Amino acid sequence: MNDFETRWQNAVRKTPWGQDEKAGHVLIATAFMNSTFIYGTVGPNALHNGWLATGNPVARAGLHWINRAREHPHSIFRNRLIRLYDPGPRTGALVKGGLQMMDMYYGMNNDLFRNRDVRIAQFVHNVMGFADRGVPFDPNVSGREAFFRAFKTRQEGWEKQGVTDAAYGQSATKEMSKIIREGIKRFGGKLIFEGKSVYGSGIFDPHARQGDTDLEAQELFQYMVWPLTPCVPFGEGTLEFQWGGRPATPTRAHFLSNWNWGGPMTHGPANRVNPTNARDPWRDYLKTVMGKRHGLRLIWHNFGNFPQNFPRLTQGNRALEEWEVSIMERAIARVSQSLHDTAAPPQVGAFNRTTWTGDPRPLGRR
């Protein structure tokens, strides 16, 4: 298949007005400039798999109720396939509406794709080369189904397979994510990265498993350079970091509070690098990753050590002294506990607001 730039330019020219590159550029640029995308993990499990023992408990309860209701001969659910879906901490964004998600452009086995911007969806479809493979864009067909038809496969687009490696050098979903990021960088718009349920090791540790979200974070975090604010320039657009649905200045303590997969939950003792005693092996690991020879990706240097509600510490991204490691442990525990809920209650005062969001400024002045 053609290289990325060739596919990109061909897609810009494929507009409702024919082979008019200028008109196509205006159409696509306007769509991106008026859009806000939110990236981040879908959480412990997407709810379309909620019936599994490791699924979301709300989904398990909902699907259990639906399955019992199906047993009734006149049930409205008797002949319907119910697909629940959970975007993790981005649930509020999905409920409020108005934001775009990568999940809408590939899609699951549900109707989530109908919420996508059709102009951007057609552009992504064309850059992916689906039309060149004999699959014209149809707004009533998900990106997932278009991918199946274009590549004549039923293997999911996020799985490694030879046909997508040959076409894109990576999986289909990674390529779609790249197209959307490039659209925001080149045309404008806003990209929010919701980091609360993303495991830090996948982002920073080169030896950890690399999923789509980890690779997205690695690319995006190159634009976050110390000293940080929640919102930074991202080409022609902007990039904002959020933690639990609120803009936050990301720190190493944030990422270490949810470092590893530890079962279906997040931000529990099994997830964070937070030793309970000096003999805990995590203590040596924490000393290593906070030292000069941490072995992590260079983007680790883009983030400060502590949230801003640790004023007696020297703020920065330098290696920690031995006596500071225990303070880092407390910072990780505080971040993990204080940011467990997705939003701060409205009565939270100035000090606690900093604890919740990692940003001491009043919400109206950010």
Side-chain angles (χ1 to χ4, degrees):
M1 184 177 286
N2 293 331
D3 65 85
F4 184 84
E5 283 300 325
T6 301
R7 287 186 281 117
W8 182 279
Q9 296 305 326
N10 288 340
V12 169
R13 286 191 289 267
K14 290 178 180 177
T15 72
W17 298 287
Q19 300 293 314
D20 186 336
E21 186 169 354
K22 184 175 181 180
H25 186 278
V26 171
L27 177 73
I28 301 304
T30 301
F32 273 102
M33 285 190 291
N34 293 326
S35 296
T36 297
F37 280 82
I38 182 165
Y39 275 37
T41 184
V42 297
N45 266 297
L47 290 194
H48 62 284
N49 288 331
W51 59 272
L52 293 173
T54 56
N56 186 293
V58 177
R60 294 203 304 273
L63 289 178
H64 175 74
W65 181 86
I66 290 169
N67 289 333
R68 290 295 300 272
R70 277 201 183 106
E71 297 174 1
H72 193 282
H74 302 295
S75 171
I76 62 173
F77 299 112
R78 190 168 182 82
N79 297 313
R80 294 180 62 188
L81 181 63
I82 306 299
R83 299 286 184 179
L84 301 178
Y85 179 76
D86 174 26
R90 298 171 299 154
T91 301
L94 179 63
V95 172
K96 284 192 302 183
L99 300 187
Q100 297 285 293
M101 297 181 181
M102 169 60 193
D103 318 55
M104 299 172 182
Y105 288 80
Y106 179 72
M108 309 299 294
N109 193 5
N110 54 31
D111 287 341
L112 188 67
F113 74 92
R114 297 188 184 280
N115 295 311
R116 61 189 176 174
D117 185 299
V118 176
R119 299 166 296 178
I120 298 177
Q122 183 171 8
F123 180 69
V124 171
H125 182 97
N126 290 332
V127 179
M128 291 293 292
F130 294 162
D132 296 334
R133 290 176 175 267
V135 182
F137 176 73
D138 183 343
N140 295 311
V141 174
S142 70
R144 177 176 182 258
E145 185 60 33
F147 165 73
F148 287 161
R149 296 177 187 179
F151 282 87
K152 297 178 174 57
T153 182
R154 300 308 292 180
Q155 193 173 348
E156 291 291 355
W158 58 76
E159 297 181 80
K160 181 177 176 57
Q161 42 191 311
V163 289
T164 52
D165 284 347
Y168 312 122
Q170 58 185 352
S171 72
T173 53
K174 289 183 174 72
E175 186 74 0
M176 286 185 178
S177 175
K178 176 183 177 180
I179 294 167
I180 292 171
R181 296 195 307 269
E182 283 296 312
I184 296 171
K185 281 198 294 185
R186 299 186 189 198
F187 299 130
K190 184 176 183 179
L191 197 161
I192 296 170
F193 187 86
E194 167 56 63
K196 183 185 173 192
S197 290
V198 181
Y199 300 112
S201 61
I203 302 172
F204 298 103
D205 188 344
H207 303 293
R209 176 188 176 276
Q210 305 297 297
D212 285 18
T213 304
D214 304 314
L215 295 177
E216 290 164 0
Q218 290 163 22
E219 201 273 340
L220 296 175
F221 286 0
Q222 296 178 44
Y223 293 83
M224 294 183 169
V225 181
W226 174 263
L228 275 173
T229 59
C231 196
V232 297
F234 185 59
E236 294 296 318
T238 56
L239 170 63
E240 181 176 273
F241 185 87
Q242 290 190 3
W243 188 268
R246 292 289 184 92
T249 299
T251 68
R252 292 174 175 178
H254 283 81
F255 300 118
L256 290 166
S257 75
N258 196 51
W259 191 254
N260 292 298
W261 187 86
M265 302 302 293
T266 58
H267 291 275
N271 303 118
R272 62 180 180 258
V273 179
N274 186 33
T276 55
N277 60 68
R279 295 183 179 180
D280 194 310
W282 274 125
R283 184 174 179 84
D284 290 335
Y285 183 80
L286 181 59
K287 289 166 63 176
T288 298
V289 298
M290 295 305 300
K292 295 179 179 178
R293 298 182 179 180
H294 48 69
L296 303 178
R297 290 188 168 85
L298 292 178
I299 52 174
W300 186 242
H301 293 283
N302 293 3
F303 302 96
N305 293 330
F306 306 103
Q308 296 178 35
N309 54 333
F310 283 77
R312 72 188 188 89
L313 294 171
T314 303
Q315 294 295 322
N317 56 358
R318 59 174 176 75
L320 293 186
E321 301 294 338
E322 175 72 25
W323 65 272
E324 293 176 301
V325 173
S326 60
I327 300 176
M328 187 63 176
E329 295 168 7
R330 293 200 297 273
I332 295 169
R334 181 179 295 186
V335 168
S336 185
Q337 179 180 3
S338 300
L339 298 176
H340 182 73
D341 294 330
T342 57
Q347 68 272 21
V348 169
F351 173 79
N352 284 335
R353 182 185 297 113
T354 304
T355 304
W356 282 87
T357 65
D359 192 330
R361 294 172 292 170
L363 295 178
R365 297 183 184 178
R366 297 182 186 177

